[in-house]
Amino acid sequence: MAFDPTKAPVDYILLAGKKSPGIAEIDRASSLRTWDERRGYGLSGATTIFRGVRLAHFIVRLRLYTAVDFASWAEFAVLVQRPPTGERPRQLEIWHPILEDLGITAVGVEELGQPVQTRDGEWTIEIKFIEYRKLQPALSRPEGAQAAPVDPVDRRIEELAAQVQVLSAL
């Protein structure tokens, strides 16, 4: 189901099950696809080869306003801090309706910005994420443009009409 902010606004993300502090804003989340174009010498047009879905890179901005927001940030920040030397960074489950619509369910932290005062009484922290998704085979060549779907009832009528023609020819 597509996200409708007019009916049920969501101003937070869930990261590893923890609710983000303040007001969360998602920016530049997208579903990127890779295609190869193959052209022939002296020919017009091209064939396309689907190479797969690329990983999304997006930003979550947390706007903090109150002492409660900053106290919540101190707890939440543990999730996005730099991993200790010698340890691998963890991939984290993430949820927001916008990300859910794009199929983004897990992320790694690419960059954590400092708190910046963006207005009087408002501090903003930017967190850049990269989507995490296991590898899957994806190379395929389209068979052509898809026509309108055939109605199964119409298909059955055509099959029966063909049978009637064969029987009437006997």
Side-chain angles (χ1 to χ4, degrees):
M1 186 170 110
F3 173 56
D4 183 353
T6 63
K7 292 183 181 175
V10 177
D11 62 357
Y12 62 90
I13 62 167
L14 292 178
L15 189 64
K18 283 191 176 181
K19 185 177 175 182
S20 62
I23 296 175
E25 172 188 306
I26 297 171
D27 190 20
R28 296 195 320 227
S30 60
S31 177
L32 304 162
R33 290 134 182 147
T34 301
W35 292 86
D36 278 349
E37 258 184 63
R38 304 225 174 133
R39 300 172 186 258
Y41 177 76
L43 300 173
S44 178
T47 300
T48 55
I49 306 294
F50 181 65
R51 298 285 308 267
V53 178
R54 296 183 1 218
L55 298 178
H57 298 256
F58 61 96
I59 297 171
V60 173
R61 288 185 191 88
L62 301 177
R63 293 181 302 197
L64 309 177
Y65 298 96
T66 66
V68 173
D69 288 345
F70 278 95
S72 297
W73 166 248
E75 294 174 19
F76 188 82
V78 173
L79 296 172
V80 295
Q81 292 299 323
R82 193 180 316 177
T85 304
E87 287 187 25
R88 288 185 174 203
R90 298 175 298 168
Q91 306 302 320
L92 304 166
E93 288 184 358
I94 193 167
W95 178 86
H96 186 276
I98 290 172
L99 300 175
E100 185 176 45
D101 285 350
L102 294 169
I104 299 170
T105 60
V107 294
V109 177
E110 278 192 298
E111 183 178 334
L112 172 62
Q114 70 178 44
V116 175
Q117 187 169 8
T118 47
R119 293 184 190 159
D120 287 343
E122 177 185 272
W123 290 80
T124 302
I125 300 170
E126 281 193 359
I127 308 168
K128 294 182 182 177
F129 289 104
I130 181 170
E131 177 184 14
Y132 170 76
R133 190 174 355 101
K134 289 184 179 182
L135 292 173
Q136 298 173 349
L139 186 64
S140 65
R141 180 182 304 233
E143 297 297 322
Q146 180 179 352
V150 178
D151 183 14
V153 174
D154 289 341
R155 181 181 301 137
R156 184 66 179 146
I157 290 170
E158 289 174 8
E159 291 170 359
L160 293 173
Q163 288 176 5
V164 167
Q165 286 179 352
V166 169
L167 291 175
S168 64
L170 295 175

